[in-house]
Amino acid sequence: EAGRQAEIPLEKKKPVITDVTEVSIAVRKGTRYLMRQRSESERWAGLWDFVRFEIDEQHAELFGVPKATRKSAKSLNGQRSLFDDDDAVPSAPLPAAIAQQVEESTGLMAAHYQTVTEIRHTVTRYRIRLLCLIAHVEGGRIRTGSGYQWCSKKQLGELPLSTTGRKFAELLTAD
């Protein structure tokens, strides 16, 4: 009625949701975990994270995360650590392509892994399926310039982590 149609903003288009499958690997040496601060050009810039990278669905299915261990990011609080007794969770060979990617980014060799959980999380325009694993170092040295460093369980609790990183760290450090 007032003739102000041109002043009323149009309804914003909903962003296209991008499905992403990633693996987050807590590379472990004794009681310490490998961490690095994410760069300015990455999602969650400035936050610390485990070894993490995108994988295709074919590799994701190799991990066979049992439904009983799948969690939403909200449901992980208060769980006992799965690694109080390392023998409680079976170890399996790390797929060669994943082991190679870990070595290329960190300089460290890890040949076996244990499944911790799967976290499904949505942030901005990403719907993330995050497969959380733990792998023990079997050789190598941290690649110079990679930004990775060893952190104790106590340090994990003090570092600024993404929501999914924090949930994963809580599972690893719970007593």
Side-chain angles (χ1 to χ4, degrees):
E1 279 181 39
R4 297 179 50 211
Q5 293 86 342
E7 297 173 28
I8 300 172
L10 296 174
E11 188 175 312
K12 291 183 181 179
K13 292 181 182 179
K14 292 185 179 182
V16 175
I17 301 297
T18 304
D19 288 320
V20 177
T21 301
E22 295 180 334
V23 64
S24 181
I25 305 173
V27 176
R28 183 175 173 181
K29 184 176 182 179
T31 59
R32 298 178 302 156
Y33 295 93
L34 194 63
M35 302 292 290
R36 82 172 174 87
Q37 192 170 25
R38 296 178 73 88
S39 72
E40 291 300 319
S41 64
E42 295 177 286
R43 190 174 352 129
W44 302 303
L47 298 179
W48 289 78
D49 208 350
F50 297 97
V51 177
R52 183 173 176 157
F53 48 85
E54 192 170 337
I55 60 173
D56 60 35
E57 284 300 319
Q58 183 180 10
H59 281 105
E61 296 312 314
L62 294 175
F63 295 113
V65 179
K67 286 186 180 181
T69 65
R70 293 180 184 170
K71 304 291 180 190
S72 71
K74 293 180 182 177
S75 67
L76 295 173
N77 284 332
Q79 283 197 6
R80 188 172 171 271
S81 172
L82 297 174
F83 301 100
D84 291 338
D85 176 6
D86 281 339
D87 295 330
V89 179
S91 178
L94 198 59
I98 304 300
Q100 180 179 356
Q101 197 157 355
V102 169
E103 187 173 0
E104 287 174 2
S105 63
T106 68
L108 300 171
M109 292 177 280
H112 291 85
Y113 76 95
Q114 296 164 314
T115 301
V116 177
T117 194
E118 175 180 327
I119 301 172
R120 294 186 183 248
H121 182 67
T122 302
V123 61
T124 58
R125 64 178 187 90
Y126 299 98
R127 184 172 29 231
I128 302 166
R129 176 183 179 206
L130 183 63
L131 304 171
C132 299
L133 315 172
I134 187 168
H136 296 270
V137 171
E138 296 187 5
R141 290 183 180 205
I142 296 176
R143 185 174 310 287
T144 303
S146 67
Y148 284 101
Q149 64 184 49
W150 294 110
C151 296
S152 68
K153 287 182 176 185
K154 182 180 185 233
Q155 288 171 315
L156 285 181
E158 298 168 353
L159 292 174
L161 304 171
S162 66
T163 299
T164 53
R166 173 73 47 220
K167 298 297 182 181
F168 187 16
E170 286 173 0
L171 283 176
L172 299 172
T173 60
D175 291 322

